[in-house]
Amino acid sequence: MSLLETVDVKVKFGGNVALNDVSISVEAGSVTGLIGPNGAGKTTLFNTITGLQPLTSGKIVFNGKDVTKEPPHKRTRMGLARTFQRLELFTSLSVRDNVRVAGEIRNRWSFRTARMDVNAETDRIIQLVGLADVADREVGEIPTGQARVVELARALMIQPTLLLLDEPASGQTEEETEQFGELLKDLARNDGLGICLVEHDMALVMKVCETIHVLDFGIIISSGTADYVRNDPTVIDAYLGSPESVG
Amino acid sequence: MQTFLQYTILGLAIGGSYFIAASGLVVTYTTSGIFNFAQGAIAMIAVFTYWQFRWGWNWPAPLALLMVLGVLAPLLGAALYQVVMKNLRGTSEVTKIIVPIGVMLGFQALATWVWNPTSSTPRQFQKFFGPNAFVHFGSIKVSWHEIIAFVIAIAIAVGIRLLFVRTRSGVAMRAVVDDPELLQLNGGRPERLAMISWAGGSFLAALAGILIQPMIGSAMSAGQLTLLVIDAFAAAMFGRLRSLPRTLAGALVIGITTTYVIAYFPSKWTWASSFRNSLPMIFLFIVLIVLPQDRLRGATVLRLRERFRMPSIRTAWIAGLVLMVVVFCLKVIMERTAVNTLTLALTFAIIALSLVLLTGFAGEINLAALSFGAIAVIVVYHFGTTGSGSDARTTLWGILLAAVVTALVGAVIALPALRLRGLYLALATMAFGVFVSRMVLTERNERDIFGLKFTIFTAGQLTIPKPKIGPFDFNSPDAFLFLCAGLFAIIGIGMVYLRHSGYGRRLAAMKDSPAASATLGMSVVRLKLSIFMMSTAIAGIGGVMMAAQIGTVNSDRFDILLSLSLMMITVVGGIGYISGALFAGIFLIAFVQMLDLTLKKFAVDYSSIEAIFLFFVSVVTVLPATIGITMGKNPSGAVSEILNGLDQIKQSKPLVITLVGLEAAIWALAATDVITNWHFVILTMVNLFIVPVVGGKVLLARAMRGVPKPVPPELVGIDRPFTFDDLAEMDRALDLEGVVVPSAGTVREGATGVSA
Ligand SMILES: Nc1ncnc2c1ncn2[C@@H]1O[C@H](COP(=O)(O)OP(=O)(O)OP(=O)(O)O)[C@@H](O)[C@H]1O
Ligand SMILES: [Mg+2]
């Protein structure tokens, strides 16, 4: 059984079908890629998985449970976390407090026995993702690449089992991306996290993802290993047909 | 049967007019994303202007109509959009709500200025074709005016529908709110569309006003017409601010029910007419309860535009102490009446603290703070006092009980709206405010409520004695002054503690991004509820203090327009700051009153140029609203401006010494009676406001000389995040005139998708 499965998810905005019967799965302990040209519907899919966007039809199964009707916070409490492509940082808090408040929110809903020591965990995560240098800065002042890492740190604070990352590396320098890829692999391998990665940086995707789903105009046009997808003619078509080419 | 038909027709006509006003709301909201709180005020201005043309100057009706509906109203709407509302793109929901409220208050003040309500002859406003133009249908007679109202409503419903569905610009209009950037990419011009729709919305408001005024049958009142917006938004809410057919249905239901209440409620039900007046509010609540949950929204505001720094706990204690010392120094030099004014200002500042807590910390909006104060005052009056006559005192338990009851009432009001967008909570509270004014504060008859026999608002006024807490009696004006100052300081410091706690951080998280908070597992509704209750409790305590200071309060003290002014001025002061609340109390009560008194005194002293001073007295009444309207320019408020100045001053010893020295000198002059209190206040204002700002600018200019070159455009966003200025700079560089500035994420990504 997969950690996450979307079953025939359809989302319409007025007459515009953003997702058309999308079925993908994400396994625990591995990084799954979700790629596709601009406007393909990747963010919309994340929104449906996290419960921010209601479905027109279809269902979302997480941990073997149908969560289609659950509100976002209930899904999170089952172990689902995400980052946002359009940054959703808490701009009135410092970098450290952005991370810390996530732990404080978590302590409100986790069972009493599972309470974490928020301060210690905050320090650990900040070290882990490499934000120690900017921890006391205002979150609005740091560069976009690092701001995305803050989003990741915040998501990690709730100790999820599934992590959805929406273009986490855009705005990062090459070096930062390198480290970031390693971190993702570690998280999947060592902590058994299931990670779903949306990313336009193909080098990163090909390097860290074991499985890749390709979305185009709301339809999954290809799924498989990195090698398979890279050589799939439909994928190449989709990318060549759009202004953006495979990186 | 005859009554039934008669009232049904009247109901349809009134409902039709509600719809016309409501459709204006829907149109402007859909195209500009701004809820026009001034809709009723526009209607009011139009009604008065029409009256002026038609009966003041005896113009023929068609000419007057053409002038008002065809020329002035659309011009007003277009101008409002161009000058004021256009600047609101990219600001927070709070600013988008406050600025139209400023416009509303401004029009309100303007109307009482131009058309003095206390003038000798009551203004008569007649139906079309005069009061006796009837059509007879069998045994019933219907006035032409009613028929016209209903027919126009239907015509407008059909017309707008066709416009939206059939025409290109109509379809485009619907798209603007959904995604202005997308529309622009497709060659649409959202700015122009929005302006046209504001012109149309203003026309519809004016039309609704002129139709409805003679049907409600009372004398023209600026306040009553302004609040027409509430009846209209109750109707618009039926259609969720989108669907016009449902809005029409809602408006007709409201219109008909209100007339049936008049027709069929037994005349011995003395509350029937207040009930009738409150019906739209009651409808609104029902609609709010049944509306489905909103999608959670992310941070739609570009960062950096509205920022509040939170003081450290230590700073808060020092500030509290300074406040007490300053109040003491002031007390020494002030006359009795001035002490009273200061105390009253502090009680309003306490009420404003409730707004800072709710809006500044949590991003939610309460537009009826004083109505919650009224609830608390009623509780204290009935259950919270001991002794009688001059020995009467408010008890601590009475105050606490009042706070608890207010919090519970707050919970009931907020609960249906908390699942929804901030705007809906704002509307719910405003509806509650009007409900309290129209239904609760008009309750002067003895009632049997749950076996308890009492009158809610005895004889139209309540007397609240000064409090006595334990051994401390606060009956003397000085003692009460210190109580209020102390209370403000304690609550303020408490709020700073709160903001530095986990709870405070969770509030900040919720305010900055409800979507991200929910995806971290937060139950947003529960947090909102708790903060709303806490905030209304503070408003309640402040309300009790205000009533205790005044002594005997009537219902005017809790007027919704006063609540709106307080909210607006707090935002102007800086809704994120404790000192913003202090600013609001002092500005609204002490400063405006002082200006008013001083000008009136001058008018007497220099009677040859009296008119000039009296003109400025009127200007003062419009002043707060004018300041509110400019909020779009500086959404972080005046306090932050001052703090920024102070920050730079702190680094410059000479300036600090100048400031403190000047102030000490001014105080010494006043303490030795060399200068009067008025002079003291004015000189202090000059010293405290002008010196930091000017000093700051000077320092800044000096510092600028050593500043490194600005970041080159291609590195903006990499070296540091985008700001509005960067965008403007790029627009200029790329020669993109009039491009809508999209919100933060979009700029980073160039993506068109709307995030959660
Ligand atoms: N709230 C919304 N209302 C209407 N249409 C929407 C909304 N959100 C997304 N869309 C549309 O759905 C489609 C998919 O958008 P989505 O943001 O999911 O794409 P994406 O794959 O994330 O693209 P990108 O790579 O640019 O981030 C787009 O055509 C977009 O315009
Ligand atoms: Mg996306």
Side-chain angles (χ1 to χ4, degrees), chain A residues 73-135:
Chain A
H73 65 275
K74 293 262 171 64
R75 299 187 196 196
T76 303
R77 293 174 185 192
M78 296 162 70
L80 178 58
R82 75 172 286 181
T83 67
F84 292 86
Q85 176 183 8
R86 295 171 63 159
L87 293 174
E88 292 284 347
L89 289 169
F90 305 134
T91 43
S92 35
L93 301 177
S94 69
V95 170
R96 180 187 304 281
D97 280 348
N98 263 273
V99 182
R100 165 149 48 145
V101 74
E104 281 163 345
I105 293 171
R106 177 188 176 279
N107 270 356
R108 298 291 302 176
W109 51 261
S110 63
F111 292 108
R112 203 164 286 278
T113 47
R115 291 268 161 97
M116 62 166 78
D117 175 349
V118 174
N119 288 332
E121 182 69 5
T122 306
D123 288 339
R124 188 182 78 81
I125 298 278
I126 285 181
Q127 282 298 337
L128 178 74
V129 300
L131 281 174
D133 292 344
V134 292

Side-chain angles (χ1 to χ4, degrees), chain B residues 25-26 29 34-39 93 96-98 100-101 104 227-242 280-288 291 294 358 364-368 371-372 413-414 416-418 420-436 532 560 564 567:
Chain B
L25 273 182
V26 174
Y29 183 72
I34 294 164
F35 186 86
N36 187 7
F37 279 89
Q39 184 82 346
E93 192 157 28
K96 284 198 179 107
I97 288 175
I98 287 306
I101 286 178
M104 162 182 170
L227 293 180
L228 170 71
V229 68
I230 294 179
D231 304 311
F233 77 55
M237 214 55 76
F238 270 83
R240 303 184 65 189
L241 295 178
R242 277 175 171 274
M281 271 55 70
I282 296 168
F283 273 111
L284 180 75
F285 264 98
I286 298 171
V287 176
L288 283 178
L291 272 186
D294 250 3
L358 186 67
E364 297 298 315
I365 296 175
N366 178 1
L367 293 179
S371 305
F372 288 100
I413 303 309
L418 287 180
L420 308 166
R421 226 168 314 156
L423 172 65
Y424 289 92
L425 181 60
L427 293 178
T429 54
M430 186 160 163
F432 169 73
V434 179
F435 173 81
V436 167
F532 194 82
I560 182 79
L564 294 178
M567 174 71 190

Side-chain angles (χ1 to χ4, degrees), chain B residues 406-417:
Chain B
T406 328
L408 291 177
V409 172
V412 173
I413 303 309
L415 211 45

Side-chain angles (χ1 to χ4, degrees), chain A residues 45-238:
Chain A
L45 185 60
F46 272 15
N47 286 345
T48 61
I49 296 173
T50 44
L52 294 171
Q53 169 67 51
L55 318 196
T56 309
S57 66
K59 63 178 180 175
I60 311 282
V61 182
F62 179 50
N63 262 340
K65 257 192 75 179
D66 182 351
V67 296
T68 320
K69 295 257 145 51
E70 300 287 341
H73 65 275
K74 293 262 171 64
R75 299 187 196 196
T76 303
R77 293 174 185 192
M78 296 162 70
L80 178 58
R82 75 172 286 181
T83 67
F84 292 86
Q85 176 183 8
R86 295 171 63 159
L87 293 174
E88 292 284 347
L89 289 169
F90 305 134
T91 43
S92 35
L93 301 177
S94 69
V95 170
R96 180 187 304 281
D97 280 348
N98 263 273
V99 182
R100 165 149 48 145
V101 74
E104 281 163 345
I105 293 171
R106 177 188 176 279
N107 270 356
R108 298 291 302 176
W109 51 261
S110 63
F111 292 108
R112 203 164 286 278
T113 47
R115 291 268 161 97
M116 62 166 78
D117 175 349
V118 174
N119 288 332
E121 182 69 5
T122 306
D123 288 339
R124 188 182 78 81
I125 298 278
I126 285 181
Q127 282 298 337
L128 178 74
V129 300
L131 281 174
D133 292 344
V134 292
D136 292 315
R137 299 264 297 276
E138 290 298 319
V139 78
E141 295 168 357
I142 61 174
T144 316
Q146 276 180 317
R148 296 197 178 278
V149 180
V150 178
E151 286 239 349
L152 172 68
R154 199 173 64 177
L156 288 175
M157 279 301 281
I158 67 162
Q159 300 178 337
T161 53
L162 174 61
L163 190 55
L164 308 176
L165 303 175
D166 201 345
E167 304 197 11
S170 78
Q172 289 187 353
T173 62
E174 226 162 272
E175 191 185 345
E176 282 170 340
T177 310
E178 183 75 18
Q179 286 170 4
F180 190 77
E182 291 307 316
L183 176 62
L184 291 190
K185 278 200 216 164
D186 279 354
L187 285 172
R189 208 170 300 143
N190 304 341
D191 301 351
L193 224 61
I195 298 178
C196 184
L197 174 69
V198 165
E199 189 48 70
H200 284 299
D201 180 342
M202 285 308 143
L204 177 66
V205 172
M206 293 302 162
K207 201 180 86 182
V208 302
C209 296
E210 281 150 53
T211 319
I212 296 175
H213 301 284
V214 187
L215 199 56
D216 190 23
F217 287 115
I219 299 170
I220 293 285
I221 53 169
S222 177
S223 294
T225 62
D227 274 337
Y228 171 78
V229 166
R230 196 191 337 237
N231 299 317
D232 186 345
T234 40
V235 177
I236 296 167
D237 261 7

